[in-house]
Tab-separated table of all heavy atoms in Angstrom:
chain	number	residue	atom	x	y	z
A	485	PHE	N	240.704	319.297	108.146
A	485	PHE	CA	241.978	320.223	107.799
A	485	PHE	C	243.070	319.644	108.791
A	485	PHE	O	244.169	319.577	108.293
A	485	PHE	CB	241.616	321.605	108.186
A	485	PHE	CG	240.694	322.228	107.217
A	485	PHE	CD1	239.466	322.525	107.474
A	485	PHE	CD2	241.209	322.431	105.838
A	485	PHE	CE1	238.664	323.176	106.500
A	485	PHE	CE2	240.421	323.069	104.917
A	485	PHE	CZ	239.145	323.414	105.177
A	486	THR	N	242.691	319.232	109.977
A	486	THR	CA	243.819	318.628	110.831
A	486	THR	C	244.401	317.361	110.173
A	486	THR	O	245.600	317.219	110.111
A	486	THR	CB	243.299	318.285	112.200
A	486	THR	OG1	242.709	319.428	112.747
A	486	THR	CG2	244.302	317.825	113.102
A	487	GLN	N	243.552	316.636	109.621
A	487	GLN	CA	243.969	315.388	108.966
A	487	GLN	C	244.915	315.714	107.838
A	487	GLN	O	245.924	315.108	107.499
A	487	GLN	CB	242.812	314.523	108.555
A	487	GLN	CG	243.125	313.203	107.949
A	487	GLN	CD	241.855	312.350	107.643
A	487	GLN	OE1	240.838	312.826	107.675
A	487	GLN	NE2	242.108	311.059	107.389
A	488	LEU	N	244.458	316.690	107.050
A	488	LEU	CA	245.183	317.163	105.855
A	488	LEU	C	246.567	317.686	106.242
A	488	LEU	O	247.605	317.316	105.648
A	488	LEU	CB	244.450	318.204	105.153
A	488	LEU	CG	245.076	318.686	103.807
A	488	LEU	CD1	245.140	317.584	102.741
A	488	LEU	CD2	244.223	319.879	103.216
A	489	ARG	N	246.635	318.509	107.269
A	489	ARG	CA	247.966	318.978	107.873
A	489	ARG	C	248.811	317.807	108.245
A	489	ARG	O	250.011	317.857	107.843
A	489	ARG	CB	247.633	319.924	109.068
A	489	ARG	CG	247.962	321.401	108.757
A	489	ARG	CD	247.912	322.232	110.019
A	489	ARG	NE	247.014	321.792	111.099
A	489	ARG	CZ	245.799	322.129	111.199
A	489	ARG	NH1	245.243	322.931	110.318
A	489	ARG	NH2	245.129	321.705	112.163
A	490	GLU	N	248.286	316.862	109.078
A	490	GLU	CA	249.125	315.771	109.566
A	490	GLU	C	249.659	314.905	108.386
A	490	GLU	O	250.738	314.342	108.305
A	490	GLU	CB	248.413	315.060	110.579
A	490	GLU	CG	248.098	315.839	111.901
A	490	GLU	CD	249.342	316.319	112.516
A	490	GLU	OE1	250.322	315.664	112.587
A	490	GLU	OE2	249.324	317.459	113.004
A	491	GLY	N	248.771	314.737	107.329
A	491	GLY	CA	249.168	314.007	106.205
A	491	GLY	C	250.315	314.564	105.449
A	491	GLY	O	251.176	313.973	104.968
A	492	LEU	N	250.238	316.019	105.294
A	492	LEU	CA	251.413	316.694	104.669
A	492	LEU	C	252.613	316.576	105.471
A	492	LEU	O	253.666	316.435	104.859
A	492	LEU	CB	250.918	318.142	104.445
A	492	LEU	CG	249.809	318.378	103.255
A	492	LEU	CD1	249.403	319.916	103.340
A	492	LEU	CD2	250.318	317.886	102.009
A	493	ARG	N	252.505	316.655	106.723
A	493	ARG	CA	253.636	316.513	107.566
A	493	ARG	C	254.305	315.067	107.394
A	493	ARG	O	255.531	314.948	107.362
A	493	ARG	CB	253.396	316.756	109.012
A	493	ARG	CG	253.306	318.064	109.450
A	493	ARG	CD	253.084	318.412	110.880
A	493	ARG	NE	252.740	319.688	111.211
A	493	ARG	CZ	252.060	319.974	112.287
A	493	ARG	NH1	251.641	319.068	113.115
A	493	ARG	NH2	251.741	321.241	112.449
A	494	ALA	N	253.410	314.018	107.390
A	494	ALA	CA	253.936	312.664	107.275
A	494	ALA	C	254.582	312.504	105.890
A	494	ALA	O	255.529	311.879	105.750
A	494	ALA	CB	252.710	311.722	107.354
A	495	ARG	N	254.020	313.188	104.877
A	495	ARG	CA	254.560	313.146	103.582
A	495	ARG	C	256.020	313.687	103.507
A	495	ARG	O	256.880	313.236	102.912
A	495	ARG	CB	253.619	313.742	102.525
A	495	ARG	CG	254.090	313.712	101.047
A	495	ARG	CD	253.675	312.187	100.783
A	495	ARG	NE	253.677	312.096	99.262
A	495	ARG	CZ	253.888	310.943	98.641
A	495	ARG	NH1	254.149	309.812	99.398
A	495	ARG	NH2	253.920	310.843	97.351
A	496	GLN	N	256.040	314.922	104.103
A	496	GLN	CA	257.428	315.571	104.128
A	496	GLN	C	258.400	314.682	104.817
A	496	GLN	O	259.614	314.667	104.506
A	496	GLN	CB	257.265	316.960	104.897
A	496	GLN	CG	256.490	317.993	104.124
A	496	GLN	CD	257.244	318.254	102.662
A	496	GLN	OE1	258.470	318.274	102.699
A	496	GLN	NE2	256.539	318.522	101.747
A	497	ALA	N	258.037	314.069	106.059
A	497	ALA	CA	258.865	313.112	106.820
A	497	ALA	C	259.304	312.009	105.855
A	497	ALA	O	260.429	311.571	105.894
A	497	ALA	CB	258.306	312.619	108.051
A	498	LEU	N	258.392	311.462	105.042
A	498	LEU	CA	258.843	310.348	104.084
A	498	LEU	C	259.819	310.800	103.029
A	498	LEU	O	260.748	310.112	102.666
A	498	LEU	CB	257.560	309.725	103.521
A	498	LEU	CG	256.622	308.911	104.298
A	498	LEU	CD1	255.428	308.548	103.543
A	498	LEU	CD2	257.424	307.591	104.734
A	499	ILE	N	259.707	312.012	102.624
A	499	ILE	CA	260.518	312.619	101.599
A	499	ILE	C	261.929	312.779	102.332
A	499	ILE	O	263.004	312.477	101.702
A	499	ILE	CB	260.039	313.985	101.092
A	499	ILE	CG1	258.833	313.655	100.172
A	499	ILE	CG2	261.053	314.732	100.328
A	499	ILE	CD1	258.053	314.956	99.734
A	500	ARG	N	261.969	313.247	103.558
A	500	ARG	CA	263.312	313.403	104.063
A	500	ARG	C	263.957	312.058	104.418
A	500	ARG	O	265.158	311.917	104.283
A	500	ARG	CB	263.176	314.050	105.575
A	500	ARG	CG	262.882	315.516	105.419
A	500	ARG	CD	263.072	316.288	106.752
A	500	ARG	NE	262.254	315.698	107.812
A	500	ARG	CZ	260.972	316.116	108.119
A	500	ARG	NH1	260.513	317.132	107.416
A	500	ARG	NH2	260.438	315.554	109.056
A	501	VAL	N	263.133	311.054	104.790
A	501	VAL	CA	263.807	309.709	104.944
A	501	VAL	C	264.334	309.141	103.660
A	501	VAL	O	265.368	308.559	103.505
A	501	VAL	CB	262.685	308.739	105.552
A	501	VAL	CG1	263.160	307.273	105.403
A	501	VAL	CG2	262.356	309.044	106.919
A	502	ALA	N	263.559	309.364	102.542
A	502	ALA	CA	264.011	308.922	101.210
A	502	ALA	C	265.259	309.679	100.737
A	502	ALA	O	266.251	309.010	100.184
A	502	ALA	CB	262.916	309.089	100.228
A	503	LYS	N	265.450	311.011	101.115
A	503	LYS	CA	266.641	311.731	100.768
A	503	LYS	C	267.831	311.202	101.545
A	503	LYS	O	268.934	311.189	101.137
A	503	LYS	CB	266.393	313.152	100.938
A	503	LYS	CG	265.579	313.848	99.982
A	503	LYS	CD	265.604	315.320	100.234
A	503	LYS	CE	264.684	316.042	99.110
A	503	LYS	NZ	264.584	317.505	99.382
A	504	SER	N	267.527	310.790	102.805
A	504	SER	CA	268.681	310.461	103.698
A	504	SER	C	269.209	309.074	103.240
A	504	SER	O	270.338	308.675	103.610
A	504	SER	CB	268.195	310.297	105.085
A	504	SER	OG	267.281	309.199	105.352
A	505	ASP	N	268.492	308.305	102.324
A	505	ASP	CA	268.928	307.039	101.922
A	505	ASP	C	270.196	307.161	101.033
A	505	ASP	O	270.889	306.270	100.812
A	505	ASP	CB	267.870	306.145	101.367
A	505	ASP	CG	266.892	305.630	102.161
A	505	ASP	OD1	267.259	305.500	103.555
A	505	ASP	OD2	265.764	305.200	102.013
A	506	TYR	N	270.241	308.299	100.387
A	506	TYR	CA	271.348	308.670	99.544
A	506	TYR	C	272.622	308.853	100.148
A	506	TYR	O	273.755	308.840	99.675
A	506	TYR	CB	271.039	309.949	98.649
A	506	TYR	CG	269.902	309.649	97.676
A	506	TYR	CD1	268.655	310.383	97.746
A	506	TYR	CD2	270.102	308.727	96.568
A	506	TYR	CE1	267.673	310.125	96.885
A	506	TYR	CE2	269.022	308.485	95.668
A	506	TYR	CZ	267.914	309.109	95.786
A	506	TYR	OH	266.903	308.874	94.966
A	507	TYR	N	272.676	309.170	101.488
A	507	TYR	CA	273.867	309.361	102.167
A	507	TYR	C	274.211	308.307	103.194
A	507	TYR	O	273.358	307.519	103.588
A	507	TYR	CB	273.624	310.669	103.091
A	507	TYR	CG	273.279	311.857	102.296
A	507	TYR	CD1	272.022	312.438	102.297
A	507	TYR	CD2	274.286	312.481	101.505
A	507	TYR	CE1	271.673	313.471	101.528
A	507	TYR	CE2	273.890	313.615	100.742
A	507	TYR	CZ	272.581	314.170	100.641
A	507	TYR	OH	272.241	315.198	99.901
A	508	PRO	N	275.508	307.995	103.333
A	508	PRO	CA	275.906	306.955	104.250
A	508	PRO	C	275.654	307.306	105.789
A	508	PRO	O	275.555	308.490	106.101
A	508	PRO	CB	277.396	306.847	104.026
A	508	PRO	CG	277.851	308.200	103.649
A	508	PRO	CD	276.633	308.697	102.819
A	509	THR	N	275.363	306.239	106.478
A	509	THR	CA	275.122	306.516	107.900
A	509	THR	C	276.146	305.866	108.746
A	509	THR	O	276.695	304.775	108.570
A	509	THR	CB	273.826	305.669	108.247
A	509	THR	OG1	272.736	306.193	107.471
A	509	THR	CG2	273.484	305.995	109.760
A	510	PHE	N	276.787	306.684	109.574
A	510	PHE	CA	277.880	306.268	110.436
A	510	PHE	C	277.385	306.276	111.895
A	510	PHE	O	276.518	307.208	112.256
A	510	PHE	CB	279.133	307.313	110.261
A	510	PHE	CG	279.619	307.219	108.935
A	510	PHE	CD1	279.538	308.287	108.005
A	510	PHE	CD2	280.416	306.220	108.458
A	510	PHE	CE1	280.042	308.240	106.860
A	510	PHE	CE2	281.019	306.154	107.127
A	510	PHE	CZ	280.749	307.275	106.290
A	511	PHE	N	278.011	305.506	112.669
A	511	PHE	CA	277.649	305.564	114.046
A	511	PHE	C	278.880	305.066	114.904
A	511	PHE	O	279.719	304.347	114.461
A	511	PHE	CB	276.426	304.850	114.530
A	511	PHE	CG	276.553	303.265	114.394
A	511	PHE	CD1	277.021	302.397	115.418
A	511	PHE	CD2	276.237	302.644	113.105
A	511	PHE	CE1	277.156	301.186	115.254
A	511	PHE	CE2	276.458	301.260	113.038
A	511	PHE	CZ	276.828	300.503	114.103
A	512	ALA	N	279.021	305.604	116.109
A	512	ALA	CA	279.903	305.183	117.124
A	512	ALA	C	279.282	304.920	118.403
A	512	ALA	O	278.480	305.685	118.837
A	512	ALA	CB	281.010	306.170	117.101
A	513	ALA	N	279.696	303.812	119.128
A	513	ALA	CA	279.125	303.555	120.357
A	513	ALA	C	280.285	303.184	121.358
A	513	ALA	O	281.188	302.466	120.958
A	513	ALA	CB	278.064	302.586	120.395
A	514	PHE	N	280.085	303.457	122.602
A	514	PHE	CA	281.054	303.100	123.673
A	514	PHE	C	280.282	302.395	124.710
A	514	PHE	O	279.340	302.760	125.148
A	514	PHE	CB	281.806	304.331	124.158
A	514	PHE	CG	282.877	304.065	125.295
A	514	PHE	CD1	284.123	303.406	124.794
A	514	PHE	CD2	282.553	304.290	126.480
A	514	PHE	CE1	285.005	303.152	125.736
A	514	PHE	CE2	283.496	303.961	127.405
A	514	PHE	CZ	284.735	303.417	127.095
A	515	TYR	N	280.882	301.280	125.201
A	515	TYR	CA	280.301	300.509	126.379
A	515	TYR	C	281.232	300.383	127.384
A	515	TYR	O	282.374	300.243	127.288
A	515	TYR	CB	280.042	299.081	125.732
A	515	TYR	CG	279.502	298.109	126.772
A	515	TYR	CD1	278.219	298.256	127.215
A	515	TYR	CD2	280.317	297.185	127.237
A	515	TYR	CE1	277.687	297.327	128.211
A	515	TYR	CE2	279.896	296.269	128.228
A	515	TYR	CZ	278.533	296.368	128.686
A	515	TYR	OH	278.054	295.449	129.548
A	516	LEU	N	280.688	300.660	128.631
A	516	LEU	CA	281.585	300.560	129.917
A	516	LEU	C	280.750	299.863	130.944
A	516	LEU	O	279.478	300.194	131.137
A	516	LEU	CB	281.821	301.929	130.350
A	516	LEU	CG	282.629	301.996	131.696
A	516	LEU	CD1	283.911	301.363	131.784
A	516	LEU	CD2	282.727	303.429	132.217
A	517	SER	N	281.251	298.878	131.564
A	517	SER	CA	280.636	298.137	132.646
A	517	SER	C	281.686	298.132	133.727
A	517	SER	O	282.767	297.514	133.695
A	517	SER	CB	280.176	296.759	132.186
A	517	SER	OG	279.652	296.073	133.356
A	518	TYR	N	281.297	298.739	134.886
A	518	TYR	CA	282.206	298.883	135.910
A	518	TYR	C	281.485	298.504	137.195
A	518	TYR	O	280.472	299.026	137.592
A	518	TYR	CB	282.605	300.370	136.069
A	518	TYR	CG	283.550	300.642	137.283
A	518	TYR	CD1	284.948	300.208	137.298
A	518	TYR	CD2	283.220	301.435	138.183
A	518	TYR	CE1	285.781	300.507	138.257
A	518	TYR	CE2	284.110	301.661	139.359
A	518	TYR	CZ	285.249	301.298	139.272
A	518	TYR	OH	286.150	301.649	140.329
A	519	ALA	N	282.069	297.466	138.044
A	519	ALA	CA	281.480	297.149	139.192
A	519	ALA	C	282.665	296.762	140.163
A	519	ALA	O	283.604	296.107	139.964
A	519	ALA	CB	280.653	295.812	139.073
A	520	VAL	N	282.520	297.393	141.427
A	520	VAL	CA	283.558	297.268	142.419
A	520	VAL	C	282.728	296.969	143.771
A	520	VAL	O	281.890	297.733	144.086
A	520	VAL	CB	284.461	298.417	142.633
A	520	VAL	CG1	285.354	298.370	143.665
A	520	VAL	CG2	285.137	298.821	141.413
A	521	SER	N	283.247	295.950	144.340
A	521	SER	CA	282.542	295.555	145.656
A	521	SER	C	283.685	295.505	146.721
A	521	SER	O	284.745	294.930	146.458
A	521	SER	CB	281.989	294.151	145.540
A	521	SER	OG	281.384	293.765	146.724
A	522	SER	N	283.548	296.230	147.807
A	522	SER	CA	284.438	296.441	148.759
A	522	SER	C	284.910	295.079	149.555
A	522	SER	O	285.872	294.959	150.199
A	522	SER	CB	284.113	297.458	149.710
A	522	SER	OG	282.895	297.133	150.357
A	523	ASN	N	283.760	294.170	149.541
A	523	ASN	CA	284.009	292.966	150.386
A	523	ASN	C	284.612	291.775	149.692
A	523	ASN	O	284.443	290.552	149.967
A	523	ASN	CB	282.733	292.517	151.243
A	523	ASN	CG	281.663	292.281	150.263
A	523	ASN	OD1	281.735	292.492	149.165
A	523	ASN	ND2	280.600	291.801	150.885
A	524	ARG	N	285.124	292.034	148.352
A	524	ARG	CA	285.542	290.839	147.403
A	524	ARG	C	286.940	291.215	147.042
A	524	ARG	O	287.280	292.347	146.852
A	524	ARG	CB	284.613	290.721	146.317
A	524	ARG	CG	283.228	290.226	146.609
A	524	ARG	CD	282.544	290.008	145.254
A	524	ARG	NE	281.294	289.485	145.431
A	524	ARG	CZ	280.847	288.168	145.259
A	524	ARG	NH1	281.754	287.484	144.848
A	524	ARG	NH2	279.652	287.786	145.611
A	525	ASP	N	287.649	290.173	146.832
A	525	ASP	CA	289.048	290.319	146.397
A	525	ASP	C	288.993	290.145	144.904
A	525	ASP	O	288.080	289.491	144.211
A	525	ASP	CB	289.898	289.117	146.795
A	525	ASP	CG	290.148	289.224	148.484
A	525	ASP	OD1	290.120	290.383	148.849
A	525	ASP	OD2	290.273	288.176	149.068
């Protein structure tokens, strides 16, 4: 029964992934690198 429950959960996750393929995916990322050393010019 545990295997059956987990299999149904996996199936539902696959269905959600297949439905999400119909929608566009957008993302935004920001990168910051900051280094200050007091003994350097």
